[in-house]
PDB file of all heavy atoms in Angstrom:
ATOM      1  N   ALA A  53      39.621   6.910   3.774  1.00 92.00           N
ATOM      2  CA  ALA A  53      39.617   6.675   2.310  1.00 92.00           C
ATOM      3  C   ALA A  53      39.580   5.179   1.988  1.00 92.00           C
ATOM      4  O   ALA A  53      38.848   4.772   1.091  1.00 92.00           O
ATOM      5  CB  ALA A  53      40.837   7.372   1.719  1.00 92.00           C
ATOM      6  N   GLU A  54      40.368   4.398   2.736  1.00 94.00           N
ATOM      7  CA  GLU A  54      40.457   2.975   2.463  1.00 94.00           C
ATOM      8  C   GLU A  54      39.140   2.299   2.615  1.00 94.00           C
ATOM      9  O   GLU A  54      38.674   1.590   1.712  1.00 94.00           O
ATOM     10  CB  GLU A  54      41.513   2.329   3.363  1.00 94.00           C
ATOM     11  CG  GLU A  54      42.915   2.506   2.901  1.00 94.00           C
ATOM     12  CD  GLU A  54      43.924   2.072   4.016  1.00 94.00           C
ATOM     13  OE1 GLU A  54      43.484   1.393   4.959  1.00 94.00           O
ATOM     14  OE2 GLU A  54      45.090   2.396   3.819  1.00 94.00           O
ATOM     15  N   LEU A  73      21.397 -10.388 -12.306  1.00 95.00           N
ATOM     16  CA  LEU A  73      20.593 -11.514 -11.871  1.00 95.00           C
ATOM     17  C   LEU A  73      19.109 -11.179 -11.878  1.00 95.00           C
ATOM     18  O   LEU A  73      18.277 -11.970 -12.372  1.00 95.00           O
ATOM     19  CB  LEU A  73      21.045 -11.884 -10.443  1.00 95.00           C
ATOM     20  CG  LEU A  73      20.182 -13.048  -9.790  1.00 95.00           C
ATOM     21  CD1 LEU A  73      20.629 -14.346 -10.340  1.00 95.00           C
ATOM     22  CD2 LEU A  73      20.338 -13.089  -8.283  1.00 95.00           C
ATOM     23  N   TYR A 115      29.164 -21.412   5.612  1.00 92.00           N
ATOM     24  CA  TYR A 115      30.315 -21.247   4.737  1.00 92.00           C
ATOM     25  C   TYR A 115      31.646 -21.030   5.492  1.00 92.00           C
ATOM     26  O   TYR A 115      32.489 -20.370   5.062  1.00 92.00           O
ATOM     27  CB  TYR A 115      30.080 -20.083   3.772  1.00 92.00           C
ATOM     28  CG  TYR A 115      28.756 -20.278   3.004  1.00 92.00           C
ATOM     29  CD1 TYR A 115      27.742 -19.443   3.121  1.00 92.00           C
ATOM     30  CD2 TYR A 115      28.708 -21.346   2.094  1.00 92.00           C
ATOM     31  CE1 TYR A 115      26.549 -19.683   2.427  1.00 92.00           C
ATOM     32  CE2 TYR A 115      27.512 -21.575   1.376  1.00 92.00           C
ATOM     33  CZ  TYR A 115      26.470 -20.697   1.572  1.00 92.00           C
ATOM     34  OH  TYR A 115      25.285 -20.943   0.886  1.00 92.00           O
ATOM     35  N   SER A 168      11.691 -12.069 -34.381  1.00 91.00           N
ATOM     36  CA  SER A 168      11.288 -12.150 -35.828  1.00 91.00           C
ATOM     37  C   SER A 168      12.333 -11.323 -36.644  1.00 91.00           C
ATOM     38  O   SER A 168      12.430 -11.613 -37.836  1.00 91.00           O
ATOM     39  CB  SER A 168       9.880 -11.552 -36.052  1.00 91.00           C
ATOM     40  OG  SER A 168       9.871 -10.235 -35.762  1.00 91.00           O
TER      41      SER A 168
END
Side-chain angles (χ1 to χ4, degrees):
Chain A
E54 280 169 10
L73 179 74
Y115 303 115
S168 66

